[in-house]
Amino acid sequence: MTGARMSTARRELALSTKGFMPADEGEALWDAAVSAAASVARAPMLEVGSYCGRSTVWLGDAAERAGRLLFAVDHHRGSEENQAGWEHHDTDVVDPLTGKMDTLPFFRRTMHDATLEAAVIALVGRSPQAASVWTTPLSFLFIDGGHGEEPARLDYEGWTPHVVPGGLLAIHDVFPDPADGGRPPYEQIYVPAIESGQFDEVSVTGSLRILRRI
Ligand code: SAH
Ligand code: MG
């Protein structure tokens, strides 16, 4: 787009934070969030799946610029593929007292170090339960939570109705070819959004898809 970017300091912080957002997709997420903030009526932004706050730095920066809030939903216990024995497990994020994953301290540290605590509000809990009582329109929705079939479907059903016309829906880990990765974000979120006739595709960067609500 404009070629504008987040500050070098925040970018370096994002890139040094544990997580799963490649640099080019983080930039694309930021571009999309900045453009949504410029073109859509005032409404907050929401991220499902923050982990240690890597993607949250890009989105929080966009929110702060626009004087908006970013809600960051995560139970911080990790997705299936983050658990012990799975591909994306990291023993550093296991709480030795409970033996369970706990990425909340990492997330808090990241928001502190990024000076984004005023712009970002963490919602710590299960996404479908948070969605079940949510009523606020959203200018930007980023879905990167549980990648199993049911979590992905529930995130689609629970959160996408809140995206305002002209607002953006960003979906991570969309793999149309099963050889590239797991299917649920594609089958349970991306395809239903397109087939609903309510979203148009705006951009594709790696596994990141940006759709606009019609
Ligand atoms: N966006 C992050 C990566 C997210 S990983 C980055 O840029 O690195 C997926 C996250 O979704 C994990 O932190 C996990 O705890 C969270 N998650 C999975 N299922 C969830 C659910 N049902 N409710 C809330 N959070 C969930
Ligand atoms: Mg992801």
Side-chain angles (χ1 to χ4, degrees), residues 19-21 49-51 55 74-75 77-79 125-127 144-146:
F20 308 102
M21 181 56 57
S50 303
Y51 195 63
S55 51
D74 201 309
H75 52 37
R77 295 296 185 201
S79 301
R126 294 180 181 174
S127 172
D144 192 21

Side-chain angles (χ1 to χ4, degrees), residues 17-22 29 47-58 73-83 101 103 123-129 142-148 151 154-155 172-173:
T17 298
K18 286 178 187 294
F20 308 102
M21 181 56 57
L29 195 60
E47 165 180 82
V48 184
S50 303
Y51 195 63
C52 298
R54 185 172 165 114
S55 51
T56 324
V57 174
W58 277 288
V73 180
D74 201 309
H75 52 37
H76 289 283
R77 295 296 185 201
S79 301
E80 198 178 26
E81 60 274 16
N82 305 130
Q83 305 302 324
M101 278 184 62
T103 50
L123 290 184
V124 181
R126 294 180 181 174
S127 172
Q129 279 67 27
F142 174 50
I143 303 184
D144 192 21
H147 288 357
L154 293 176
D155 281 340
H172 200 226
D173 303 305

Side-chain angles (χ1 to χ4, degrees), residues 64-188:
E64 183 190 65
R65 272 165 202 263
R68 301 195 187 187
L69 289 173
L70 169 67
F71 289 88
V73 180
D74 201 309
H75 52 37
H76 289 283
R77 295 296 185 201
S79 301
E80 198 178 26
E81 60 274 16
N82 305 130
Q83 305 302 324
W86 289 71
E87 185 188 350
H88 295 291
H89 185 59
D90 179 346
T91 50
D92 292 355
V93 300
V94 175
D95 174 349
L97 289 180
T98 61
K100 291 180 180 171
M101 278 184 62
D102 184 3
T103 50
L104 183 57
F106 293 82
F107 175 84
R108 301 257 303 152
R109 167 74 68 86
T110 304
M111 291 306 102
H112 171 269
D113 291 354
T115 63
L116 283 170
E117 290 182 312
V120 179
I121 296 182
L123 290 184
V124 181
R126 294 180 181 174
S127 172
Q129 279 67 27
S132 73
V133 296
W134 188 269
T135 56
T136 305
L138 298 172
S139 57
F140 192 95
L141 170 63
F142 174 50
I143 303 184
D144 192 21
H147 288 357
E149 227 166 84
E150 168 149 301
R153 182 175 57 78
L154 293 176
D155 281 340
Y156 174 73
E157 290 174 358
W159 293 110
T160 55
H162 299 293
V163 179
V164 297
L168 298 181
L169 165 62
I171 314 164
H172 200 226
D173 303 305
V174 172
F175 299 113
D177 181 347
D180 296 331
R183 297 285 275 170
Y186 173 74
E187 285 175 346
Q188 306 295 328

